[in-house]
Amino acid sequence: MSDVTSAQSSSTLAGTIELRLTAAARRALAQRETPLLVHLELLFSCMIRKQVLFLESEHPDALLLDGGEQQVRIGFRAVGTKTCLISDQPVPELQTFPIKRVKPFLPRWLSLDIKHGQWRGEFGYVGN
């Protein structure tokens, strides 16, 4: 993503995450009346898939992450399926995946951008 700035965060319930916002994302957040709800999903099936979703309400099983920005609420949830599916389509019957040691699975960074009124996001585990 171009024109990205980085904000280091402080601690919260599950952990912290480095939030990277483009200039366009910062402008859009400043105009919002309510926080942007960002849901980071790590799907365990026959393959692993990372997905960033922008929701209307927080998922009750999501772990909250602190990105150091009040206008962004970040939730993380590891999920699994009953059957092996390889698709970008929505996965039916997602279940919260039981992780005993959560910390190694928490993402380290989240990048957000907005283009043509649509939020876009990406998260990862290795810094650049």
Side-chain angles (χ1 to χ4, degrees), residues 13-16 42 44 61-65 75-78 96-108 125:
L13 293 176
T16 60
L42 184 62
F44 292 94
D61 291 341
L63 301 172
L64 293 179
L65 299 175
F76 170 77
R77 183 173 171 229
T96 299
F97 196 81
I99 298 177
K100 292 183 182 186
R101 288 184 32 230
V102 173
K103 190 164 181 143
F105 293 93
L106 295 176
R108 298 232 165 78
Y125 292 88

Side-chain angles (χ1 to χ4, degrees), residues 26-42:
R26 286 196 184 281
R27 285 190 300 272
L29 286 172
Q31 295 174 357
R32 290 182 63 91
E33 294 182 18
T34 60
L36 178 67
L37 300 180
V38 183
H39 183 81
L40 312 180
E41 187 176 86
L42 184 62

Side-chain angles (χ1 to χ4, degrees), residues 25-108:
R26 286 196 184 281
R27 285 190 300 272
L29 286 172
Q31 295 174 357
R32 290 182 63 91
E33 294 182 18
T34 60
L36 178 67
L37 300 180
V38 183
H39 183 81
L40 312 180
E41 187 176 86
L42 184 62
L43 171 67
F44 292 94
S45 187
C46 49
M47 299 186 74
I48 295 175
R49 178 180 78 187
K50 301 183 312 180
Q51 187 172 15
V52 178
L53 304 167
F54 300 92
L55 305 177
E56 296 297 319
S57 62
E58 294 175 349
H59 192 283
D61 291 341
L63 301 172
L64 293 179
L65 299 175
D66 183 1
E69 172 64 53
Q70 289 184 341
Q71 280 297 89
V72 181
R73 301 254 318 156
I74 305 167
F76 170 77
R77 183 173 171 229
V79 294
T81 61
K82 290 183 178 181
T83 60
C84 179
L85 299 169
I86 301 175
S87 172
D88 286 336
Q89 300 303 313
V91 180
E93 300 182 38
L94 286 179
Q95 299 174 343
T96 299
F97 196 81
I99 298 177
K100 292 183 182 186
R101 288 184 32 230
V102 173
K103 190 164 181 143
F105 293 93
L106 295 176
R108 298 232 165 78

